[in-house]
């Protein structure tokens, strides 16, 4: 099933908003007149690229692979393990990379000791969003199917009643 253009646009806008959240956090109230705002923003975006890639990848893997193959198949333990491994892998990848390539901007962003908390916080948000969206989609699909079955059942009953009233037609 090919996604609709408005869905793709919504995802792009959502990810742009999500990507700029750390920039808003980092630049709010911390810039002094001698700081180059554009440099701070570009450095912030640059150093968070691996984080964004991991989080965005997790969003789609969770929504399109883990939930349909594990969660909806009631393999809850395997699903929980997959989520825990994803979180651990994300933390490992982000912690392994140099956090700030430009030491002059070290004062911007979360301190190194708070990086794990930052990663877990955003990971949980993305986990809840991807799971919530996928569960909502599944519910809507089930509801549509239920309504179709109900309509078909009513049509069958109506045909049966018509056949009883006019058996010779």
């Amino acid at each position: 099933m090919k996604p609709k253009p408005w869905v793709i646009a919504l995802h792009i806008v959502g990810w742009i908003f999500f990507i700029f959240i750390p920039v808003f956090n980092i630049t709010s109230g911390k810039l002094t007149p001698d700081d180059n705002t554009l440099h701070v923003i570009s450095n912030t975006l640059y150093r968070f690229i691996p984080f964004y890639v991991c989080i965005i990848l997790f969003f789609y893997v969770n929504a399109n692979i883990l939930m349909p193959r594990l969660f909806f198949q009631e393999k809850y333990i395997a699903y929980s393990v997959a989520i825990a491994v994803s979180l651990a892998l994300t933390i490992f990848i982000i912690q392994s990379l140099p956090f700030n390539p430009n030491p002059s901007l070290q004062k911007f962003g979360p301190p190194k000791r708070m990086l794990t908390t930052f990663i877990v916080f955003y990971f949980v948000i993305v986990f809840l969003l991807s799971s919530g969206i996928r569960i909502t989609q599944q519910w809507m699909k089930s509801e549509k199917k239920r309504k179709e079955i109900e309509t078909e059942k009513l049509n069958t009953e109506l045909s049966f009643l018509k056949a009883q009233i006019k058996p010779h037609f």
Side-chain angles (χ1 to χ4, degrees), residues 4 48 50 55 98 105 121 130 140:
K4 296 177 178 136
F48 283 103
I55 290 295
L105 298 173
F121 175 74
S130 66
M140 289 171 60

Side-chain angles (χ1 to χ4, degrees), residues 88-106:
L89 190 60
T90 301
I91 291 171
F92 175 75
I93 289 170
I94 303 305
Q95 291 283 12
S96 299
L97 299 172
F99 181 62
N100 196 343
N102 187 345
S104 68
L105 298 173
Q106 192 64 40

Side-chain angles (χ1 to χ4, degrees), residues 102-120:
N102 187 345
S104 68
L105 298 173
Q106 192 64 40
K107 63 183 176 178
F108 298 104
K112 183 80 169 168
R113 69 185 187 292
M114 289 181 57
L115 188 57
T116 303
T117 306
F118 174 82
I119 294 168
V120 170

Side-chain angles (χ1 to χ4, degrees), residues 58-93:
F58 171 73
F59 179 91
Y60 292 108
V61 166
N62 183 46
N64 298 321
I65 297 172
L66 297 178
M67 292 205 63
R69 293 186 184 171
L70 298 176
F71 186 78
F72 293 138
Q73 301 298 322
E74 298 180 3
K75 298 176 183 175
Y76 301 122
I77 294 174
Y79 179 70
S80 299
V81 168
I83 297 300
V85 167
S86 298
L87 176 60
L89 190 60
T90 301
I91 291 171
F92 175 75
I93 289 170

